[in-house]
Amino acid sequence: MNVAVIGAGAAGLATAHELLAAGHRVAVFEQSRQVGGLWAYTDATEDDPLGLRPSRRIHSSLYASMHTNLPRDLMAFDGCPFGDADGAPPTSCRPARMRYPHHARVFDYLQRFAVDAGVARHVRFGHRVKRVDLRRRWRVDGESFDAVAVCNGHFSEPRVPALPGLEQFPGMVLHSHNYRRPDSFAGLRVVVLGSSVSGGDLSREIAEVAAEVHFSGRLFRDAPLPACQTGLLKRCPPVAGFEAASVVLENGERIEAVDAFLFCTGYRYRFPFLDASLIGVGDNWVRGLYRQLVAVDQPTLAFVGLPFRIVPFPLFQRQARWFARLLNRDFPLPSHAERRRAHRREIERLRGKGVAERHYHFLGDGQIDYLNDLARQCGDAPVPDWFIQLWREHNANARLHPTDHRERPLRNRTPLAAAESAVAD
Ligand code: FAD
């Protein structure tokens, strides 16, 4: 089949590779001039600090100091180890940190993968897809295809909660999409809102230069707050809103005279090139998908990489392989009525468990069963034990030692670590 892939980030590269391996023809549309997507770091930021204007100029949301939040052993694509050369740290880094390389190393890795996997030559750089529609066949900006894989990423459109009083707040406001370095926070009283890894990383980094940082989020719940060399880092309850320069907390307390407020509140799914009749986006949830992957009504339209709290690269690869094989009819797809029923049952299951809509794409530990289901249909081996053990060890470390888990050695042996230590011996 002739397949259009939208985006040449990690998901688009993995998808193009699997499609080619399954014998399909591929055109990868990439709006920028390089592969790597989010990992193509830039110092540039949007003109509006919260990044809410619909015309997005900057794709990457990485900050200058960022190291991966997963060990590179887990991040690698199958058949393309994320080796020492990609992970080599500056000499001042402790060895354990090599397992969590600087973002520039991931960019190198993806560049290498694009060439080694034979994908780079299929990428049409500088082409931002504006419209995908369905006549008898798919049309991508007017060009015909049999199938489309959407891989446009979901870490570029800031999600900012509507907090009362925000518009009157006189201090600096910023979303983490626009954060690169801590310099502009020097000497300030700062509040950081956000419950994920970025919130923790950035509050620590800013606390090194700020007068004080109040961190509102789940991180550090099971662990003491880190000591900072200069500033002061404090935990605070959830934020209710603003009153002039004060931040009002849900327990009624206030943080007075706040100079800066940083939202680390995540991102939204957005597909500006797709008509709403093809796919709807609810509260951070892409509706109407079978197996979180293909449109129930149009299974030749795939969305690779939507789930979160997962190990992204291997998940992209297995989703892509399943889609590539599906297009080859290597296994049967349930009927339209059965797909609809499966989708309805899944929503009922999530609702029954009280899961909020914005968490419907959350997989966490459920990713292992999900990956194994996809692999089974493709006739592939299940997720190896070392992967599961390392994922659990990493998660436990990150929860218990949020400040320095990247510095800690990982006990579980992985094929990559074994190969590297054999070379070192
Ligand atoms: P992207 O990398 O965003 O790529 C999408 C591509 O699509 C881009 O190249 C973009 O230019 C292109 N595009 C978009 N719209 C169009 C269009 N209309 N036409 C043409 N091209 C288009 N994951 C990990 O595995 N390990 C980590 O340590 C890690 N840390 C992270 C830290 C941060 C701060 C964030 C935000 C995410 C992190 N992630 C991490 C998750 C990361 O997003 C994924 O690993 C992965 O890079 C996502 O790949 P993607 O291809 O889905 O999206």
Side-chain angles (χ1 to χ4, degrees):
M1 283 198 177
N2 195 13
V3 188
V5 176
I6 303 174
L13 295 175
T15 302
H17 174 53
E18 294 298 332
L19 287 164
L20 290 167
H24 301 291
R25 289 190 307 285
V26 166
V28 184
F29 295 92
E30 170 52 51
Q31 63 187 0
S32 76
R33 300 271 162 203
Q34 57 204 338
V35 304
L38 177 105
W39 297 97
Y41 171 83
T42 172
D43 272 333
T45 53
E46 311 282 354
D47 299 334
D48 61 322
L50 290 180
L52 293 178
R53 287 199 199 122
S55 55
R56 196 116 316 282
R57 209 170 57 84
I58 308 295
H59 186 80
S60 183
S61 299
L62 298 189
Y63 35 99
S65 66
M66 202 199 96
H67 279 244
T68 64
N69 52 39
L70 288 169
R72 66 185 156 90
D73 317 52
L74 291 181
M75 284 178 61
F77 291 122
D78 207 11
C80 184
F82 194 153
D84 204 16
D86 302 294
T91 43
S92 59
C93 280
R94 281 180 250 163
R97 203 167 167 91
M98 287 168 63
R99 302 237 90 80
Y100 296 86
H102 185 253
H103 61 73
R105 303 281 71 81
V106 184
F107 183 58
D108 294 346
Y109 172 81
L110 290 174
Q111 304 262 306
R112 175 162 68 82
F113 177 78
V115 174
D116 291 357
V119 172
R121 63 178 179 276
H122 298 276
V123 184
R124 301 190 196 168
F125 291 105
H127 185 136
R128 170 180 279 190
V129 171
K130 295 204 175 53
R131 184 157 180 77
V132 175
D133 53 15
L134 182 63
R135 302 282 169 94
R136 279 184 48 234
R137 297 177 77 212
W138 289 103
R139 293 194 334 161
V140 176
D141 291 342
E143 190 177 337
S144 278
F145 291 93
D146 303 306
V148 175
V150 176
C151 307
N152 65 330
H154 51 90
F155 290 104
S156 297
E157 298 287 337
R159 181 184 165 87
V160 175
L163 292 173
L166 171 60
E167 280 172 14
Q168 285 75 44
F169 176 65
M172 167 166 79
V173 287
L174 196 71
H175 186 277
S176 52
H177 170 62
N178 279 325
Y179 175 97
R180 298 293 178 268
R181 293 189 171 76
D183 317 20
S184 56
F185 293 91
L188 303 186
R189 271 163 75 82
V190 184
V191 176
V192 176
L193 173 63
S195 55
S196 195
V197 183
S198 310
D201 278 357
L202 299 191
S203 53
R204 275 199 318 278
E205 182 165 284
I206 293 170
E208 297 296 341
V209 301
E212 59 184 63
V213 174
H214 298 260
F215 174 73
S216 174
R218 278 184 290 111
L219 217 72
F220 308 127
R221 203 179 33 187
D222 303 330
L225 279 173
C228 294
Q229 285 177 2
T230 52
L232 187 64
L233 180 53
K234 294 179 180 170
R235 199 189 335 244
C236 71
V239 172
F242 298 82
E243 270 177 27
S246 302
V247 169
V248 183
L249 305 173
E250 277 186 4
N251 66 357
E253 289 173 15
R254 299 155 71 91
I255 306 170
E256 310 283 354
V258 173
D259 300 303
F261 194 96
L262 176 63
F263 287 90
C264 298
T265 41
Y267 297 88
R268 296 183 297 121
Y269 296 98
R270 191 161 170 258
F271 311 100
F273 43 83
L274 279 178
D275 195 86
S277 63
L278 284 169
I279 209 76
V281 181
D283 182 11
N284 214 38
W285 169 50
V286 184
R287 295 198 187 101
L289 295 184
Y290 176 69
R291 300 189 134 188
Q292 307 231 15
L293 181 52
V294 293
V296 168
D297 296 338
Q298 305 292 348
T300 48
L301 175 65
F303 294 79
V304 177
L306 298 185
F308 60 91
R309 291 289 157 80
I310 46 133
V311 184
F313 294 10
L315 182 127
F316 300 163
Q317 205 171 21
R318 296 218 182 200
Q319 285 189 319
R321 191 169 302 165
W322 187 88
F323 182 55
R325 304 271 176 91
L326 173 74
L327 295 180
N328 275 348
R329 300 178 189 225
D330 284 359
F331 46 82
L333 185 70
S335 69
H336 185 225
E338 282 168 313
R339 296 197 299 274
R340 287 194 95 120
R341 262 199 302 279
H343 182 252
R344 223 180 8 249
R345 268 201 308 273
E346 178 60 7
I347 304 309
E348 279 161 13
R349 185 185 72 80
L350 291 165
R351 281 197 189 128
K353 283 172 67 184
V355 176
E357 187 174 299
R358 67 178 191 283
H359 291 147
Y360 283 4
H361 288 308
F362 176 107
L363 282 186
D365 264 352
Q367 76 180 305
I368 305 297
D369 284 345
Y370 177 79
L371 294 176
N372 284 342
D373 274 352
L374 297 179
R376 197 173 309 120
Q377 280 197 283
C378 293
D380 285 350
V383 177
D385 274 351
W386 70 260
F387 186 100
I388 301 170
Q389 301 311 332
L390 188 65
W391 155 253
R392 295 205 171 130
E393 184 184 5
H394 156 80
N395 278 336
N397 256 359
R399 201 180 58 251
L400 294 173
H401 310 285
T403 339
D404 64 349
H405 71 98
R406 293 183 180 92
E407 313 286 344
R408 290 173 178 263
L410 291 160
R411 276 181 297 102
N412 276 293
R413 296 294 281 168
T414 70
L416 179 65
E420 285 175 354
S421 67
V423 171
D425 294 345

